[in-house]
Amino acid sequence: MTAFYLAGALFLLANVVVALARVLRGPTAADRMLSGALMGTTAVAVLLLLYGATGIEALIDVALIFAILAAMAVVTFVRRTWPEDADEDRPREEP
Amino acid sequence: MHPVEMLFDALLLLSMVVLAWQGVHARNLFRAVVSFMMFGLLTAVAWVRLEAPDIALAEAALGAGLTGALLLATLGRLDQGGRATRLRTTFMRFSLPWMALGLAGTTLLLAVTLALPAPGLDEAVLRAMPAAGVDSPVTAVLLNFRAWDTLLEIAVMLLAVVALWSLGQDVLASTPRLPAPALPALVRLLFPLFLLSTFYLLWRGGHGPGGAFPAGALLAAGLVLALLAGARVPERMTGAPLRCALAAGLLAFLMVAVGVMADRGVFFAYPPQHAPILIAMVEIAAGLSIGVMLTALFLGGEPTDVEGGPS
């Protein structure tokens, strides 16, 4: 069963890497933010699977904190950053 | 070690290196901020893999909540004209010397790590645990054996707030970019959960990973969420009550430290039979105070713009 949990965690981590590509490529700020939120949700699942594999109870607490804080970044983004910073990711010319 | 575990660790390490590089070198500041936030996320997973759940908890509570909010809010206030485009042209002049220096520093750190005494202080801590007053070795070190360090950490945080407040008024008055009609309802739903988790972590600190710092970070995240939803610091709370809340952690810590001198005349020498209650008092006061201090850091200055809205 441990191997099953670990394989699941590995699969989800591979998903994180895919989301990472979207964070890096953009093109808009909202794309990056949303894939960031996806990575957060995936991290919760990874932590719970690692709890299944290792049995360290504190991992549930870490997952709980990630889950409860998931809204923070998106809310701050919507209230403080978006939409003025919604720039396309093309290299700017030097002035 | 299981081969799947090795693959997992390798993938984790690779992603962290890419994110760290992006966090420092991305031309687009927003991309750098998101990369840094995701780096924090994976760092928490890395701490879990290193079997350090206490640090993972602190990293999760601070990194996923307040750090990201602070960076994003700062980004929103930056002058949009001058985005950092100059970094990429100076690889030879700028990056190369720093990379060499970083490599040298890392090598030195590695050498120092290898030179450390092998079993560390685990034995000494475990031997002293019966007199600690708590079941968690980490909490025992933070709030009993090395309480002096924690006291100074809280003093540094308070100093940071004082320094920030001396720079000017709060910046929250700036109007949000978009109307968000659903946000107050969401915050009304979430805020009690934040409070509940804060007290859960405070209670948990006595016998497992948890404690004042993660609890304070969660409380601050809840308060910041409320501020973002349009809540303002109520008028009767500004001034003296807020300052008292900010200083409460440090004051309670100092009072306990000096108070226990009545017993044996030694600073911070808790009498063992009273240690549990004293540590619990310090932890609760420090946790709530840390929460208020972190929120004050997000406010960016002493709250003056009072509109009397809901808190």
Side-chain angles (χ1 to χ4, degrees):
Chain A
M1 206 56 186
T2 307
F4 173 73
Y5 286 135
L6 283 173
L10 181 65
F11 174 70
L12 288 174
L13 192 67
N15 274 335
V16 166
V17 174
V18 175
L20 186 67
R22 189 42 75 189
V23 167
L24 298 186
R25 285 187 56 200
T28 67
D31 292 317
R32 302 181 204 281
M33 200 65 238
L34 276 178
S35 23
L38 173 69
M39 282 171 81
T41 312
T42 316
V44 172
V46 168
L47 285 166
L48 290 176
L49 283 171
L50 285 180
Y51 162 71
T54 59
I56 304 172
E57 279 175 12
L59 299 197
I60 302 180
D61 290 346
V62 182
L64 169 82
I65 289 179
F66 272 135
I68 201 172
L69 288 178
M72 278 296 288
V74 178
V75 169
T76 321
F77 171 70
V78 171
R79 296 296 269 182
R80 289 278 179 266
T81 321
W82 184 263
E84 248 99 314
D85 221 37
D87 51 320
E88 305 300 306
D89 184 36
R90 46 183 116 79
R92 305 221 165 181
E93 299 305 317
E94 294 287 325
Chain B
M1 195 190 251
H2 204 280
V4 180
E5 278 182 85
M6 285 172 80
L7 210 58
F8 184 90
D9 291 349
L11 200 58
L12 186 64
L13 190 66
L14 198 71
S15 317
M16 283 175 73
V17 170
V18 171
L19 280 171
W21 177 259
Q22 285 297 323
V24 180
H25 271 266
R27 284 193 296 280
N28 180 327
L29 277 186
F30 184 78
R31 178 164 144 184
V33 166
V34 175
S35 298
F36 181 75
M37 286 163 64
M38 295 309 115
F39 178 74
L41 194 86
L42 293 186
T43 309
V45 180
W47 283 122
V48 164
R49 291 293 303 142
L50 292 167
E51 292 176 24
D54 293 270
I55 311 177
L57 204 70
E59 174 66 41
L62 275 169
L66 217 68
T67 315
L70 269 175
L71 286 172
L72 284 173
T74 310
L75 200 58
R77 294 185 65 223
L78 280 184
D79 178 24
Q80 301 295 324
R83 200 162 280 111
T85 48
R86 261 151 277 137
L87 267 180
R88 75 193 145 127
T89 56
T90 56
F91 180 79
M92 291 304 281
R93 264 189 306 142
F94 181 78
S95 300
L96 215 55
W98 284 112
M99 272 167 74
L101 205 63
L103 207 65
T106 315
T107 317
L108 206 65
L109 270 180
L110 199 68
V112 170
T113 312
L114 291 178
L116 281 176
L121 290 170
D122 309 12
E123 284 282 321
V125 169
L126 289 181
R127 250 184 287 123
M129 278 310 289
V134 284
D135 298 330
S136 159
V138 175
T139 308
V141 170
L142 285 180
L143 291 177
N144 192 343
F145 307 147
R146 298 293 304 174
W148 174 239
D149 296 348
T150 312
L151 175 75
L152 290 183
E153 274 170 35
I154 293 175
V156 165
M157 281 185 70
L158 190 60
L159 268 181
V161 173
V162 170
L164 193 69
W165 277 18
S166 68
L167 289 177
Q169 296 183 345
D170 67 332
V171 294
L172 255 186
S174 61
T175 43
R177 301 282 168 76
L178 289 174
L183 198 52
L186 174 77
V187 172
R188 258 179 230 119
L189 268 177
L190 277 181
F191 194 71
L193 282 177
F194 274 92
L195 275 187
L196 185 66
S197 327
T198 301
F199 283 100
Y200 166 69
L201 283 180
L202 277 177
W203 165 78
R204 184 95 177 113
H207 50 270
F213 275 91
L218 263 186
L219 178 64
L223 290 172
V224 166
L225 206 59
L227 288 171
L228 287 171
R232 288 287 168 270
V233 185
E235 195 164 1
R236 61 193 149 75
M237 292 295 291
T238 56
L242 185 59
R243 286 163 192 235
C244 287
L246 284 169
L250 189 64
L251 286 180
F253 222 144
L254 269 179
M255 269 158 56
V256 166
V258 175
V260 293
M261 288 176 75
D263 183 42
R264 267 184 290 171
V266 183
F267 195 61
F268 263 129
Y270 304 124
Q273 70 273 25
H274 298 309
I277 184 75
L278 288 175
I279 289 178
M281 269 169 52
V282 166
E283 184 138 67
I284 290 170
L288 298 181
S289 190
I290 287 169
V292 180
M293 283 194 275
L294 290 172
T295 315
L297 286 176
F298 184 82
L299 274 170
E302 189 165 4
T304 47
D305 176 50
V306 183
E307 288 162 22
S311 68

